[in-house]
PDB file of all heavy atoms in Angstrom:
ATOM      1  N   MET A1479      36.965 147.624  -2.772  1.00 54.00           N
ATOM      2  CA  MET A1479      38.128 148.311  -2.231  1.00 54.00           C
ATOM      3  C   MET A1479      39.209 147.301  -1.857  1.00 54.00           C
ATOM      4  O   MET A1479      40.389 147.534  -2.057  1.00 54.00           O
ATOM      5  CB  MET A1479      37.696 149.106  -0.996  1.00 54.00           C
ATOM      6  CG  MET A1479      38.737 150.063  -0.537  1.00 54.00           C
ATOM      7  SD  MET A1479      38.112 151.145   0.735  1.00 54.00           S
ATOM      8  CE  MET A1479      38.097 150.053   2.115  1.00 54.00           C
ATOM      9  N   HIS A1480      38.777 146.172  -1.336  1.00 55.00           N
ATOM     10  CA  HIS A1480      39.790 145.199  -0.906  1.00 55.00           C
ATOM     11  C   HIS A1480      40.374 144.409  -2.046  1.00 55.00           C
ATOM     12  O   HIS A1480      41.420 143.821  -1.914  1.00 55.00           O
ATOM     13  CB  HIS A1480      39.171 144.217   0.099  1.00 55.00           C
ATOM     14  CG  HIS A1480      38.949 144.838   1.443  1.00 55.00           C
ATOM     15  ND1 HIS A1480      39.971 145.153   2.260  1.00 55.00           N
ATOM     16  CD2 HIS A1480      37.810 145.206   2.063  1.00 55.00           C
ATOM     17  CE1 HIS A1480      39.492 145.692   3.370  1.00 55.00           C
ATOM     18  NE2 HIS A1480      38.171 145.741   3.274  1.00 55.00           N
ATOM     19  N   ARG A1481      39.649 144.387  -3.155  1.00 53.00           N
ATOM     20  CA  ARG A1481      40.076 143.449  -4.197  1.00 53.00           C
ATOM     21  C   ARG A1481      40.968 144.035  -5.257  1.00 53.00           C
ATOM     22  O   ARG A1481      41.396 143.320  -6.142  1.00 53.00           O
ATOM     23  CB  ARG A1481      38.841 142.881  -4.890  1.00 53.00           C
ATOM     24  CG  ARG A1481      38.311 141.757  -4.074  1.00 53.00           C
ATOM     25  CD  ARG A1481      37.319 141.008  -4.856  1.00 53.00           C
ATOM     26  NE  ARG A1481      36.715 140.020  -3.993  1.00 53.00           N
ATOM     27  CZ  ARG A1481      35.626 139.373  -4.230  1.00 53.00           C
ATOM     28  NH1 ARG A1481      34.972 139.651  -5.323  1.00 53.00           N
ATOM     29  NH2 ARG A1481      35.158 138.490  -3.404  1.00 53.00           N
ATOM     30  N   LYS A1482      41.275 145.322  -5.156  1.00 51.00           N
ATOM     31  CA  LYS A1482      42.072 145.906  -6.224  1.00 51.00           C
ATOM     32  C   LYS A1482      43.414 145.220  -6.308  1.00 51.00           C
ATOM     33  O   LYS A1482      44.081 145.027  -5.305  1.00 51.00           O
ATOM     34  CB  LYS A1482      42.304 147.397  -5.939  1.00 51.00           C
ATOM     35  CG  LYS A1482      41.138 148.273  -6.296  1.00 51.00           C
ATOM     36  CD  LYS A1482      41.476 149.081  -7.546  1.00 51.00           C
ATOM     37  CE  LYS A1482      40.184 149.619  -8.172  1.00 51.00           C
ATOM     38  NZ  LYS A1482      39.386 150.439  -7.283  1.00 51.00           N
ATOM     39  N   SER A1504      52.389 156.340  -0.241  1.00 77.00           N
ATOM     40  CA  SER A1504      51.227 156.909   0.453  1.00 77.00           C
ATOM     41  C   SER A1504      50.255 155.825   0.879  1.00 77.00           C
ATOM     42  O   SER A1504      50.194 154.761   0.303  1.00 77.00           O
ATOM     43  CB  SER A1504      50.496 157.904  -0.442  1.00 77.00           C
ATOM     44  OG  SER A1504      49.826 157.177  -1.445  1.00 77.00           O
ATOM     45  N   LYS A1505      49.467 156.166   1.907  1.00 76.00           N
ATOM     46  CA  LYS A1505      48.551 155.188   2.487  1.00 76.00           C
ATOM     47  C   LYS A1505      47.441 154.821   1.522  1.00 76.00           C
ATOM     48  O   LYS A1505      47.025 153.676   1.419  1.00 76.00           O
ATOM     49  CB  LYS A1505      47.941 155.771   3.765  1.00 76.00           C
ATOM     50  CG  LYS A1505      48.341 155.028   5.004  1.00 76.00           C
ATOM     51  CD  LYS A1505      47.532 155.476   6.183  1.00 76.00           C
ATOM     52  CE  LYS A1505      47.942 154.642   7.357  1.00 76.00           C
ATOM     53  NZ  LYS A1505      47.320 155.074   8.588  1.00 76.00           N
ATOM     54  N   ALA A1506      46.934 155.820   0.821  1.00 72.00           N
ATOM     55  CA  ALA A1506      45.814 155.570  -0.098  1.00 72.00           C
ATOM     56  C   ALA A1506      46.205 154.552  -1.157  1.00 72.00           C
ATOM     57  O   ALA A1506      45.452 153.631  -1.473  1.00 72.00           O
ATOM     58  CB  ALA A1506      45.391 156.883  -0.742  1.00 72.00           C
ATOM     59  N   TYR A1507      47.393 154.676  -1.677  1.00 72.00           N
ATOM     60  CA  TYR A1507      47.869 153.761  -2.706  1.00 72.00           C
ATOM     61  C   TYR A1507      47.951 152.341  -2.168  1.00 72.00           C
ATOM     62  O   TYR A1507      47.573 151.384  -2.830  1.00 72.00           O
ATOM     63  CB  TYR A1507      49.247 154.226  -3.171  1.00 72.00           C
ATOM     64  CG  TYR A1507      49.783 153.453  -4.335  1.00 72.00           C
ATOM     65  CD1 TYR A1507      49.321 153.699  -5.630  1.00 72.00           C
ATOM     66  CD2 TYR A1507      50.743 152.467  -4.132  1.00 72.00           C
ATOM     67  CE1 TYR A1507      49.814 152.977  -6.696  1.00 72.00           C
ATOM     68  CE2 TYR A1507      51.234 151.753  -5.204  1.00 72.00           C
ATOM     69  CZ  TYR A1507      50.771 152.004  -6.469  1.00 72.00           C
ATOM     70  OH  TYR A1507      51.242 151.290  -7.517  1.00 72.00           O
ATOM     71  N   GLN A1508      48.422 152.230  -0.916  1.00 73.00           N
ATOM     72  CA  GLN A1508      48.565 150.892  -0.344  1.00 73.00           C
ATOM     73  C   GLN A1508      47.213 150.268  -0.035  1.00 73.00           C
ATOM     74  O   GLN A1508      47.033 149.076  -0.154  1.00 73.00           O
ATOM     75  CB  GLN A1508      49.392 150.953   0.938  1.00 73.00           C
ATOM     76  CG  GLN A1508      50.866 151.001   0.628  1.00 73.00           C
ATOM     77  CD  GLN A1508      51.689 151.388   1.825  1.00 73.00           C
ATOM     78  OE1 GLN A1508      51.155 151.563   2.914  1.00 73.00           O
ATOM     79  NE2 GLN A1508      52.983 151.512   1.620  1.00 73.00           N
ATOM     80  N   GLU A1509      46.288 151.112   0.384  1.00 71.00           N
ATOM     81  CA  GLU A1509      44.944 150.583   0.636  1.00 71.00           C
ATOM     82  C   GLU A1509      44.367 149.981  -0.624  1.00 71.00           C
ATOM     83  O   GLU A1509      43.671 148.982  -0.599  1.00 71.00           O
ATOM     84  CB  GLU A1509      44.016 151.711   1.119  1.00 71.00           C
ATOM     85  CG  GLU A1509      44.401 152.303   2.456  1.00 71.00           C
ATOM     86  CD  GLU A1509      43.604 151.697   3.586  1.00 71.00           C
ATOM     87  OE1 GLU A1509      42.628 150.982   3.322  1.00 71.00           O
ATOM     88  OE2 GLU A1509      43.964 151.926   4.737  1.00 71.00           O
ATOM     89  N   LYS A1510      44.683 150.642  -1.747  1.00 66.00           N
ATOM     90  CA  LYS A1510      44.119 150.170  -3.000  1.00 66.00           C
ATOM     91  C   LYS A1510      44.598 148.776  -3.344  1.00 66.00           C
ATOM     92  O   LYS A1510      43.891 147.982  -3.929  1.00 66.00           O
ATOM     93  CB  LYS A1510      44.523 151.122  -4.148  1.00 66.00           C
ATOM     94  CG  LYS A1510      43.564 152.274  -4.293  1.00 66.00           C
ATOM     95  CD  LYS A1510      44.155 153.379  -5.130  1.00 66.00           C
ATOM     96  CE  LYS A1510      44.124 153.050  -6.601  1.00 66.00           C
ATOM     97  NZ  LYS A1510      44.593 154.114  -7.469  1.00 66.00           N
ATOM     98  N   SER A1511      45.798 148.471  -2.970  1.00 68.00           N
ATOM     99  CA  SER A1511      46.324 147.177  -3.401  1.00 68.00           C
ATOM    100  C   SER A1511      46.313 146.152  -2.281  1.00 68.00           C
ATOM    101  O   SER A1511      47.262 145.406  -2.094  1.00 68.00           O
ATOM    102  CB  SER A1511      47.736 147.366  -3.927  1.00 68.00           C
ATOM    103  OG  SER A1511      48.501 148.061  -2.977  1.00 68.00           O
ATOM    104  N   LYS A1512      45.262 146.111  -1.532  1.00 70.00           N
ATOM    105  CA  LYS A1512      45.198 145.154  -0.418  1.00 70.00           C
ATOM    106  C   LYS A1512      44.960 143.742  -0.909  1.00 70.00           C
ATOM    107  O   LYS A1512      44.619 143.485  -2.046  1.00 70.00           O
ATOM    108  CB  LYS A1512      44.067 145.555   0.526  1.00 70.00           C
ATOM    109  CG  LYS A1512      44.514 146.490   1.576  1.00 70.00           C
ATOM    110  CD  LYS A1512      43.579 146.397   2.765  1.00 70.00           C
ATOM    111  CE  LYS A1512      44.314 147.047   3.862  1.00 70.00           C
ATOM    112  NZ  LYS A1512      43.878 147.917   4.706  1.00 70.00           N
ATOM    113  N   LEU A1513      45.071 142.785   0.060  1.00 65.00           N
ATOM    114  CA  LEU A1513      44.900 141.361  -0.260  1.00 65.00           C
ATOM    115  C   LEU A1513      43.461 141.084  -0.639  1.00 65.00           C
ATOM    116  O   LEU A1513      42.552 141.739  -0.151  1.00 65.00           O
ATOM    117  CB  LEU A1513      45.224 140.518   0.962  1.00 65.00           C
ATOM    118  CG  LEU A1513      46.693 140.473   1.378  1.00 65.00           C
ATOM    119  CD1 LEU A1513      46.804 139.817   2.728  1.00 65.00           C
ATOM    120  CD2 LEU A1513      47.491 139.708   0.363  1.00 65.00           C
TER     121      LEU A1513
END
Side-chain angles (χ1 to χ4, degrees):
Chain A
M1479 192 171 75
H1480 286 289
R1481 277 193 186 165
K1482 280 252 162 57
S1504 72
K1505 245 190 177 174
Y1507 186 78
Q1508 279 166 3
E1509 295 263 349
K1510 273 164 77 176
S1511 52
K1512 271 204 164 134
L1513 290 170

